[in-house]
Amino acid sequence: MKTCVVTSANANFFPYLEDLVRSIRDRPQSNAVDLCVLDVGLSEENRSWLAPLAASIVRPGWDLRRSSDEKAPEHEKSLRSRPFLPEHFPGYDVYVHIDADAWVQDWSAIDLLVQAASTGALAIVPEVDRAYPAFDTKLKVERIMGVPYRISSGGWRRYKDIYGRQVADRLIDQPTLNAGVFALAANAPHWQAWREQFQLALERSRRSGLDQLTLEYLTYGLRMPVELLPATCNWVAHRSIPKYDVTRNRLVEPYLPHRDIGILHLTLGSKDEEREIQTLDGKTITSTLRYSGAWRTHSAD
């Protein structure tokens, strides 16, 4: 099965992209996959570094448009290009997308993404895990001068803008599906449905995050096939810092059985800041979670 791993970046995000690429190419299993990159503002120096490591580097246009595109930042192209990966990089059976601010520690996560996508389902990871803090997405009610007002989450407002209040009320309590890591077969019907829903969303809403919300709508609204994978396949670092297994030099989930983190996603404030990381033997180390730090010393799988 011919597989490619796709990511995207501009010059400002290149240090994270470099980490991701190294974390892939440092693994011998990566010899069996191609690496493809959407260039949304890379420098010539960046492209030269990537050239021997990537099978294809493509500068996308505006695959999906709205009337105010002249004001949209260049990196927005990468989000709108995601439903068009088979067109930008033709010839593959399965496409695995990984955000540039994530990196691969254990190749089993890639294998599981490919296995799930090969069934014809969307392979994706919900932001749900026993190590993540619980949060309530339900609508709140606040009284202002005795009058009740509904206070809603950003996700609810996006759903309401695009699909109306009834759909928003029905879908908002579903777990977030993090679009930073997903996999789809080339012939999956999700690609065309995603394009249609994303275009509809752009026409009806000016809010951000529409790529992820419309991908979620395929699952929760249209009930298209999905394989919900464990959090270790896309560990959202700002929600829970992994622990460190000193004996195996591995970042692991915080609770037993301490499974290895497959893909670590450096979301929000977890990208460069040093963190106190607990070890399994009860000690603490201080480090960033960047692959280019101490974590590149991990032995290859």
Side-chain angles (χ1 to χ4, degrees):
M1 182 171 296
K2 194 173 182 182
T3 300
C4 71
V5 175
V6 184
T7 190
S8 62
N10 59 17
N12 290 335
F13 228 63
F14 182 75
Y16 306 111
L17 174 65
E18 185 176 358
D19 275 2
L20 170 60
V21 171
R22 290 189 188 279
S23 77
I24 292 170
R25 290 306 184 207
D26 283 350
R27 270 75 186 155
Q29 296 95 327
S30 72
N31 293 331
V33 303
D34 283 348
L35 178 66
C36 298
V37 179
L38 290 169
D39 172 2
V40 290
L42 295 172
S43 68
E44 286 305 316
E45 183 180 0
N46 298 156
R47 290 174 64 91
S48 295
W49 184 88
L50 280 169
L53 300 169
S56 182
I57 304 171
V58 170
R59 288 192 175 106
W62 290 103
D63 290 316
L64 297 172
R65 303 190 66 87
R66 59 155 61 116
S67 58
S68 60
D69 275 345
E70 66 277 3
K71 300 178 182 179
E74 189 80 2
H75 65 77
E76 177 73 16
K77 289 180 179 178
S78 68
L79 301 180
R80 301 191 200 176
S81 294
R82 290 183 183 182
F84 295 86
L85 296 185
E87 278 65 39
H88 288 300
F89 307 106
Y92 296 96
D93 299 306
V94 172
Y95 295 83
V96 178
H97 174 272
I98 305 178
D99 275 0
D101 59 351
W103 57 270
V104 179
Q105 176 181 246
D106 193 294
W107 200 260
S108 63
I110 302 293
D111 288 339
L112 189 54
L113 283 158
V114 173
Q115 178 186 350
S118 67
T119 68
L122 167 66
I124 199 165
V125 182
E127 286 191 24
V128 175
D129 188 82
R130 64 196 186 283
Y132 294 171
F135 63 95
D136 188 3
T137 61
K138 294 180 180 179
L139 300 180
K140 310 296 183 183
V141 175
E142 182 177 278
R143 288 187 175 274
I144 302 176
M145 298 184 68
V147 179
Y149 285 85
R150 299 179 101 184
I151 311 299
S152 61
S153 70
W156 183 87
R157 290 192 295 271
R158 292 184 189 93
Y159 273 127
K160 178 180 176 293
D161 288 348
I162 303 163
Y163 302 112
R165 183 182 296 271
Q166 286 187 338
V167 172
D169 288 347
R170 178 166 58 89
L171 300 187
I172 191 55
D173 286 330
Q174 299 296 330
T176 297
L177 302 180
N178 191 294
V181 176
F182 68 87
L184 265 175
N187 59 0
H190 303 65
W191 298 110
Q192 181 59 36
W194 193 8
R195 296 168 195 171
E196 294 169 359
Q197 295 302 319
F198 203 161
Q199 183 63 60
L200 177 68
L202 289 169
E203 293 167 359
R204 294 183 177 179
S205 177
R206 299 295 176 184
R207 303 183 191 275
S208 62
L210 300 181
D211 61 308
Q212 180 166 290
L213 180 133
T214 50
L215 193 59
E216 291 175 350
Y217 185 73
L218 303 189
T219 297
Y220 300 135
L222 301 182
R223 300 185 182 278
M224 300 188 76
V226 66
E227 285 285 351
L228 300 180
L229 302 184
T232 50
C233 290
N234 182 10
W235 192 267
V236 181
H238 84 272
R239 301 201 60 197
S240 180
I241 300 300
K243 286 189 176 180
Y244 178 45
D245 184 343
V246 178
T247 61
R248 298 187 305 113
N249 202 19
R250 285 288 176 128
L251 291 168
V252 298
E253 58 183 356
Y255 298 109
L256 288 170
H258 300 304
R259 295 171 298 178
D260 290 350
I261 301 298
I263 297 174
L264 183 63
H265 196 169
L266 305 184
T267 46
L268 298 182
S270 64
K271 286 180 173 54
D272 296 291
E273 296 81 355
E274 288 195 335
R275 302 281 179 158
E276 288 190 350
I277 302 172
Q278 295 181 0
T279 66
L280 295 187
D281 59 1
K283 298 178 182 178
T284 301
I285 63 171
T286 301
S287 174
T288 72
L289 292 170
R290 290 280 303 275
Y291 182 67
S292 55
W295 309 112
R296 198 183 177 193
T297 63
H298 294 183
S299 58
D301 295 327

